[in-house]
Amino acid sequence: MKNDNKTLERRSANLDLLDDIQLLKLRVAVDTEARRRGLNFNVGEVGENLAISLFKDRPDLPVLAPAPRGTKNIDAISREGNRYSIKTLQRAKKTGTVYPDPADKDRRLFEFILIVLLNDDLTLNRIVELNWEQFCVVRSWDIRMNAWYIARSKRAMDCGLQIYPKLSNSSLIAPEASPPHGEATTEIISTAV
């Protein structure tokens, strides 16, 4: 792995030798080849793929499968039938929108929402899981979009369950009182208000 990182660093340094036009042409060539291979550099899709992959690899988490394309507000579904919305933040200050049901603004749209924080190089920084009730506590309304979003804030991140990086039991205040995966306690919700 170290050799791959050194190769990548050498290639990155070589980009400094390109003028702006050459760099743009390289970007177009990379984007064209990525599309041909079916790869997507969309930050949201990168976050969804990383989250689903992490859930698949960790035995303490449910296995998630991608939701069918175009499913409103749902990005993944667990084997237990729980619906997950996945929102990714790289540099943004707020998540993408969650559109309410037009007939019932308070209708439960999913069981869990995952907030995926990415580093600048699109590697995983943090994943926080909120259940529906926690989402309702920290959500904000976007008047222009007529939809909810979650602001990138300590309040929102502290309200949920940190999935990644996995916290060790020694870093928890009372590990024996921790709720099982996917469940919230009243204390967690009330501290965020």
Side-chain angles (χ1 to χ4, degrees):
M1 186 71 160
K2 287 184 180 181
N3 291 340
D4 290 342
N5 287 338
K6 286 181 182 177
T7 302
L8 185 59
E9 286 174 19
R10 276 196 303 269
R11 288 182 186 155
S12 296
N14 291 341
L15 293 177
D16 294 340
L17 302 175
L18 301 177
D19 65 30
D20 293 350
I21 300 299
Q22 291 171 321
L23 188 61
L24 290 173
K25 286 181 179 180
L26 177 61
R27 168 72 187 263
V28 168
V30 169
D31 286 349
T32 302
E33 180 62 17
R35 274 193 308 279
R36 187 186 70 75
R37 294 182 188 195
L39 301 174
N40 197 333
F41 291 123
N42 174 295
V43 170
E45 286 192 32
V46 169
E48 288 174 22
N49 290 331
L50 288 172
I52 290 170
S53 178
L54 177 77
F55 271 64
K56 191 179 289 183
D57 292 342
R58 289 232 331 243
D60 60 319
L61 299 173
V63 174
L64 299 181
R69 270 226 183 286
T71 306
K72 190 175 180 181
N73 293 321
I74 306 300
D75 301 301
I77 301 169
S78 73
R79 288 183 179 165
E80 295 79 24
N82 289 322
R83 300 165 297 168
Y84 284 77
S85 183
I86 302 172
K87 300 298 180 186
T88 305
L89 295 169
Q90 184 184 28
R91 295 184 199 115
K93 299 295 182 198
K94 64 181 194 174
T95 66
T97 52
V98 175
Y99 292 96
D101 184 313
D104 180 5
K105 191 175 177 180
D106 294 319
R107 179 175 164 238
R108 180 185 294 258
L109 304 172
F110 46 78
E111 282 70 44
F112 301 101
I113 186 167
L114 300 175
I115 310 300
V116 179
L117 303 177
L118 298 180
N119 297 310
D120 283 342
D121 63 356
L122 299 179
T123 57
L124 196 53
N125 178 291
R126 186 175 180 193
I127 297 179
V128 174
E129 176 188 87
L130 303 170
N131 63 27
W132 176 258
E133 291 77 16
Q134 292 167 321
F135 167 74
C136 290
V137 168
V138 299
R139 69 186 179 189
S140 299
W141 185 253
D142 186 323
I143 295 170
R144 187 177 57 83
M145 298 296 291
N146 282 328
W148 293 302
Y149 67 90
I150 297 176
R152 183 183 206 139
S153 67
K154 181 173 177 7
R155 174 180 175 254
M157 297 303 118
D158 288 351
C159 184
L161 175 65
Q162 184 165 312
I163 300 293
Y164 180 89
K166 188 175 180 182
L167 298 174
S168 66
N169 284 344
S170 62
S171 65
L172 299 174
I173 295 171
E176 65 279 355
S178 297
H181 168 75
E183 292 181 22
T185 63
T186 308
E187 293 78 27
I188 291 174
I189 293 172
S190 64
T191 58
V193 176

